[in-house]
Amino acid sequence: MILKVVSKQKAGLTDMTDIKDVRNIGIIAHIDAGKTTTTERILFYSGKISRIGDVDEGTATMDWMDQERERGITITSAATTCYWKGHKINIIDTPGHVDFTAEVERSLRVLDGAIGIFCGVGGVQPQSETVWRQSEKYGIPKIIYVNKLDRIGADFYRVVTQIENKLGVKCLVLQMPIGSESGFNGIVDLIENKAIYYPTDSENDAVFEEIPKEIEEQVHQARNQMLERLAENDEEIMEMYLHNQNIGVETIKKAIRRATLAKTLYPVFCGASLRNKGTKLLLDAIVDYLPSPLDRGEIFGEDPETGQIVARKPEIDEKHCLLAFKMVNDMYFGRLVYVRVYSGQIVPGIRLINWTRKRKERILKILEVHANKFQEIEKAVAGDIVAVVGLKETFTGDTLGEIDSPIILEKMRFPEPVLKMKVEPKTKAESEKVFQTLLKLTEEDPTFRLKIDPDTGETIISGMGQLHIEVLIERMKRQYNLEVRLGKPEVAYKETITNCATGEGKFIKQTGGKGHYGHVVLQLKPLQKGERFRFSNALKGDLIPSQFIPAIEEGILEAMEVGPFKGFPVIDVECTVVDGSFHPVDSNDIAFKIAASMAFKDAYMKANPVLLEPIMKIEVTTPQEYIGEIIADLGMRNGKIEEMKDDGIYKIIRGFVPLRTMFDYATILRSLTQGRASYIIEPCFYQKVPDEQLKKMSEIL
């Protein structure tokens, strides 16, 4: 696909938006809640596109990949920029499928605010909770949009209650629907105290009227509830409310903005994006309530040379600070790196330092992004999200800055892959090309891993699920014209320890001349789930010179890649150097690296190692008549049912199940329910493999 590039001057976008009028927002939700459909309306009504695309027809602007259009889902986070009422809005539309959670994670890392979209029928679904928690990790203020209120079974107030109960937040309802399901034909704005009707399929034809008599009392109660909740969280409103003073619209909006930015309240809006109801009001809400880069304030990082905490203010005159949050290999531009400019301003030709890797870099071009189209621009300033060309050694999570102002921002953390497959080229002649292409894909996607089995020489790829791997393999076929064969899916097991233990490693070798001498004693302790690895040095005196400590840590990390117990990666272990010795002539990095590996293996096998397997959270939505069969089947798969609840004519079953038992589940579920049930599965935690299963595996491993 050839991408059109236009200069900013030709596009007529010469004005620079003030930083206070910039909004960097994300659209986050469960799959099929209407993220891309809503984004499409935002772009249309803001004048960015001239025609509304459709997800089902494969014409949506933000779903630009062929696979996205064919599958009807968002696979990669797509960025764009639009303008509304003098404000510049940078939008990232994120995937809703659990297999692409890394796309959500890295997008949220650079955003200032977000819109959480919830289906009016489905309410708070599993991935809704996941992406909401991800956004909370970065302290992102959010507004809530309840979509699809025109569908059968939609219930606005039920969804609001679910959001409060499941996500533990205080909702501030600012709109209420007029009518329900197919009769949904308008929205009440509780701040303005007006009714908005949509007589046609265009929001531009919306009609503002007085509140109808038949819902006047209901609206009055809802508005009072809004003011009461706002008064509880804002002193100015509280004072006016208690003294029965008239509270003006602008006063209410300012109070709502304060509460939103402080994350004490979450404004709730409603609509039906597909039917063009409510999205222009949502645009107003983005401008009115979500933060600018100035509202988010300065960002903090670490000076890699001194270890001190340093700050960068979102100002043009500040020292440069950029965070690379995404890297793609584009057919037209080559290596494209998406960056958030936190401070300063960049122009083509500027030289920077990648402080994460201590590499010199030069930006050749700066591009404003609109899905898969790009406009070349003359500069990017604090608050901007752009793509740049020219960075050769910068990857996801790296920080760039000036040569005399070192800073490294907090790195992003991505979930570990849970599924692996063997892969081989269709022909031997393409072996090297396939390997290099897979390597490119691992650079783009932090949750996609590649390794060569040292014993068999086979190429093994790892990902977040079957769909994740299928999409990447399909990309190889379409984008690089390479076809491969995949082996059967395998579970990405891990190992850990359950007790403390001490181990010793000595590597002493004389070769006639200068020899090798390394002697290390390690103490191993189990860590809490998810802590992965911790290393410390508890040596006293000069038992081992400090220059050999990094080599010891490196030796431990290498030993952890192939666990001594069953050959799987080791996690959640604390390693402490407690003793050792050195030789003034023969000691070197290699000797201590090998000695540390030996000491780790010695201690590890004494610490009662166990094998861990990924446990998945599962949610099955099924007609009531199939509940018995589904529960029985999940029981056979060692699943545990946590909750069952009614959802109209359907039943929702939630629980946990080992990944190893789930590879054929889609086919079996279709067979059990005549294709009427659906399910969602996502990685949740690692758990010890049952002894009975371990015995079976030992016969194979």
Side-chain angles (χ1 to χ4, degrees):
M1 184 183 293
I2 296 175
L3 308 177
K4 188 178 179 184
V5 184
V6 199
S7 72
K8 194 130 186 171
Q9 289 84 351
K10 288 180 183 177
L13 299 172
T14 53
D15 59 303
M16 292 297 296
T17 307
D18 195 297
I19 295 174
K20 70 177 174 56
D21 295 326
V22 173
R23 301 287 183 271
N24 292 315
I25 66 159
I27 313 286
I28 59 172
H30 184 88
I31 189 170
D32 205 31
K35 295 181 305 300
T36 303
T37 301
T38 303
T39 308
E40 202 73 13
R41 270 69 187 168
I42 287 173
L43 295 178
F44 176 75
Y45 289 114
S46 65
K48 183 71 178 183
I49 58 176
S50 57
R51 178 181 172 273
I52 296 175
D54 188 280
V55 173
D56 294 332
E57 292 176 8
T59 56
T61 307
M62 302 300 273
D63 284 350
W64 58 270
M65 287 176 65
D66 289 340
Q67 288 195 73
E68 290 179 315
R69 291 175 170 175
E70 289 165 13
R71 296 173 188 265
I73 61 170
T74 302
I75 291 169
T76 180
S77 54
T80 189
T81 301
C82 64
Y83 295 83
W84 184 252
K85 295 185 177 178
H87 290 70
K88 179 181 181 180
I89 305 173
N90 296 315
I91 304 171
I92 299 182
D93 176 24
T94 62
H97 198 284
V98 293
D99 281 17
F100 309 107
T101 188
E103 288 288 328
V104 183
E105 183 77 22
R106 59 181 169 191
S107 300
L108 289 171
R109 175 66 178 81
V110 297
L111 294 173
D112 297 322
I115 304 171
I117 299 184
F118 297 86
C119 174
V121 180
V124 180
Q125 296 163 286
Q127 189 65 0
S128 310
E129 294 185 58
T130 302
V131 295
W132 189 274
R133 305 290 178 215
Q134 282 177 290
S135 70
E136 287 293 286
K137 186 166 62 178
Y138 296 115
I140 296 174
K142 292 174 285 294
I143 59 176
I144 293 164
Y145 176 62
V146 181
N147 189 25
K148 301 190 176 184
L149 290 176
D150 59 322
R151 287 181 53 186
I152 294 171
D155 187 331
F156 175 71
Y157 296 102
R158 175 175 58 83
V159 175
V160 172
T161 303
Q162 275 189 14
I163 292 168
E164 294 203 321
N165 293 340
K166 290 190 175 182
L167 303 180
V169 300
K170 281 187 179 179
C171 290
L172 184 68
V173 176
L174 301 183
Q175 295 176 350
M176 55 182 283
I178 300 173
S180 61
E181 299 181 345
S182 60
F184 172 60
N185 65 344
I187 294 168
V188 172
D189 183 334
L190 295 174
I191 301 174
E192 302 274 0
N193 213 21
K194 292 281 184 183
I196 302 105
Y197 289 98
Y198 299 94
T200 71
D201 287 338
S202 172
E203 286 195 48
N204 291 329
D205 298 329
V207 178
F208 288 73
E209 296 182 2
E210 296 300 317
I211 305 296
K213 292 284 185 188
E214 58 269 22
I215 60 169
E216 211 170 45
E217 182 57 34
Q218 189 183 348
V219 171
H220 180 71
Q221 287 179 3
R223 194 171 195 275
N224 274 344
Q225 286 173 1
M226 175 195 75
L227 290 172
E228 282 173 14
R229 180 154 278 193
L230 198 53
E232 289 169 8
N233 291 271
D234 191 274
E235 287 186 14
E236 183 184 354
I237 300 294
M238 171 70 82
E239 190 71 23
M240 297 176 77
Y241 187 75
L242 289 175
H243 291 88
N244 291 320
Q245 294 177 14
N246 181 45
I247 308 173
V249 168
E250 286 308 311
T251 304
I252 293 172
K253 285 186 175 181
K254 285 177 183 176
I256 293 169
R257 182 174 179 80
R258 287 193 293 269
T260 306
L261 299 188
K263 295 173 71 242
T264 54
L265 292 175
Y266 293 82
V268 181
F269 304 88
C270 63
S273 297
L274 189 64
R275 305 294 170 216
N276 297 292
K277 293 178 174 67
T279 47
K280 284 182 77 173
L281 300 175
L282 193 59
L283 265 167
D284 289 338
I286 291 168
V287 167
D288 289 340
Y289 308 123
L290 287 178
S292 71
L294 290 178
D295 294 316
R296 291 285 279 165
E298 57 189 7
I299 190 164
F300 296 92
E302 183 181 286
D303 185 326
E305 296 180 350
T306 65
Q308 293 181 328
I309 300 299
V310 291
R312 294 285 185 273
K313 294 177 182 177
E315 296 173 359
I316 294 173
D317 298 330
E318 180 74 280
K319 296 286 188 182
H320 295 108
C321 180
L322 287 70
L323 180 69
F325 68 95
K326 183 174 179 176
M327 199 282 283
V328 295
N329 290 293
D330 185 77
M331 298 296 286
Y332 184 84
F333 286 104
R335 202 171 190 275
L336 265 181
V337 180
Y338 287 66
V339 298
R340 161 75 188 261
V341 184
Y342 279 103
S343 59
Q345 65 176 356
I346 55 171
V347 294
I350 191 171
R351 295 182 185 275
L352 299 169
I353 297 288
N354 179 336
W355 284 108
T356 307
R357 301 176 192 276
K358 295 191 176 175
R359 296 283 190 273
K360 293 179 180 178
E361 293 279 28
R362 184 172 176 233
I363 292 173
L364 301 178
K365 291 180 181 178
I366 305 170
L367 308 170
E368 187 176 272
V369 184
H370 179 49
N372 65 328
K373 297 181 176 65
F374 303 89
Q375 286 184 331
E376 197 169 334
I377 55 177
E378 293 178 353
K379 63 180 173 179
V381 303
D384 280 343
I385 293 175
V386 293
V388 296
V389 180
L391 303 180
K392 295 178 180 177
E393 295 184 75
T394 295
F395 297 88
T396 299
D398 289 357
T399 306
L400 295 107
E402 294 182 25
I403 193 163
D404 60 345
S405 300
I407 184 172
I408 296 179
L409 302 177
E410 183 186 354
K411 290 206 75 169
M412 290 169 260
R413 297 184 183 275
F414 297 103
E416 288 291 314
V418 295
L419 195 70
K420 60 182 182 179
M421 291 183 179
K422 292 172 186 172
V423 62
E424 59 181 38
K426 283 282 179 76
T427 63
K428 282 191 176 180
E430 291 183 332
S431 294
E432 182 60 26
K433 200 174 176 184
V434 165
F435 184 80
Q436 291 302 322
T437 303
L438 287 169
L439 209 55
K440 280 185 180 180
L441 294 176
T442 61
E443 289 178 357
E444 292 183 22
D445 188 341
T447 57
F448 182 60
R449 307 281 172 82
L450 170 68
K451 78 168 190 174
I452 304 295
D453 189 305
D455 298 323
T456 64
E458 293 173 316
T459 303
I460 297 169
I461 55 176
S462 306
M464 298 305 298
Q466 281 181 272
L467 179 62
H468 183 206
I469 292 174
E470 282 172 18
V471 164
L472 290 169
I473 296 303
E474 188 65 24
R475 262 192 71 193
M476 286 180 66
K477 182 179 176 182
R478 299 186 188 202
Q479 192 172 331
Y480 299 99
N481 201 25
L482 288 171
E483 291 198 47
V484 296
R485 285 190 288 265
L486 287 174
K488 288 182 179 178
E490 296 177 21
V491 176
Y493 291 100
K494 306 282 185 191
E495 296 182 17
T496 193
I497 56 173
T498 54
N499 293 329
C500 299
T502 302
E504 184 176 22
K506 283 185 180 179
F507 182 68
I508 302 170
K509 191 174 182 182
Q510 296 298 326
T511 55
K514 190 177 178 182
H516 294 282
Y517 185 98
H519 173 214
V520 178
V521 179
L522 292 177
Q523 185 181 72
L524 269 55
K525 291 180 182 177
L527 285 175
Q528 293 291 322
K529 281 182 184 177
E531 289 193 52
R532 296 189 185 179
F533 174 67
R534 193 187 299 156
F535 175 77
S536 59
N537 178 10
L539 291 172
K540 294 178 182 176
D542 297 325
L543 292 170
I544 300 174
S546 59
Q547 69 260 33
F548 296 127
I549 300 302
I552 293 172
E553 184 176 3
E554 194 178 333
I556 294 168
L557 287 169
E558 281 191 14
M560 287 175 68
E561 288 179 11
V562 182
F565 182 47
K566 294 293 179 185
F568 295 103
V570 177
I571 58 170
D572 302 337
V573 173
E574 180 180 1
C575 300
T576 306
V577 186
V578 293
D579 202 359
S581 61
F582 79 103
H583 189 281
V585 177
D586 292 347
S587 285
N588 53 46
D589 283 347
I590 293 171
F592 274 102
K593 189 175 169 182
I594 295 170
S597 177
M598 293 166 67
F600 177 83
K601 290 173 183 175
D602 180 37
Y604 187 82
M605 294 310 292
K606 297 175 186 174
N608 193 22
V610 293
L611 191 64
L612 303 173
E613 65 176 340
I615 303 298
M616 314 298 282
K617 185 194 291 185
I618 187 169
E619 179 179 291
V620 183
T621 303
T622 176
Q624 304 244 6
E625 59 262 38
Y626 302 112
I627 289 171
E629 292 92 330
I630 290 170
I631 290 175
D633 181 69
L634 287 173
M636 289 169 61
R637 296 171 189 273
N638 301 117
K640 291 182 180 177
I641 307 300
E642 292 286 308
E643 178 188 23
M644 281 197 296
K645 66 168 194 169
D646 293 319
D647 185 22
I649 61 170
Y650 292 96
K651 199 87 170 176
I652 294 177
I653 303 167
R654 290 197 177 109
F656 300 95
V657 63
L659 176 62
R660 63 182 155 82
T661 67
M662 295 302 289
F663 292 132
D664 62 343
Y665 192 64
T667 307
I668 297 298
L669 186 65
R670 275 197 298 269
S671 173
L672 287 175
T673 64
Q674 300 176 10
R676 294 176 63 194
S678 62
Y679 78 102
I680 293 151
I681 189 169
E682 62 177 303
C684 196
F685 56 86
Y686 270 84
Q687 182 176 284
K688 181 179 178 288
V689 174
D691 292 337
E692 191 179 315
Q693 178 63 22
L694 186 61
K695 202 172 181 181
K696 290 179 188 174
M697 290 176 64
S698 298
E699 297 169 5
I700 303 169
L701 294 172

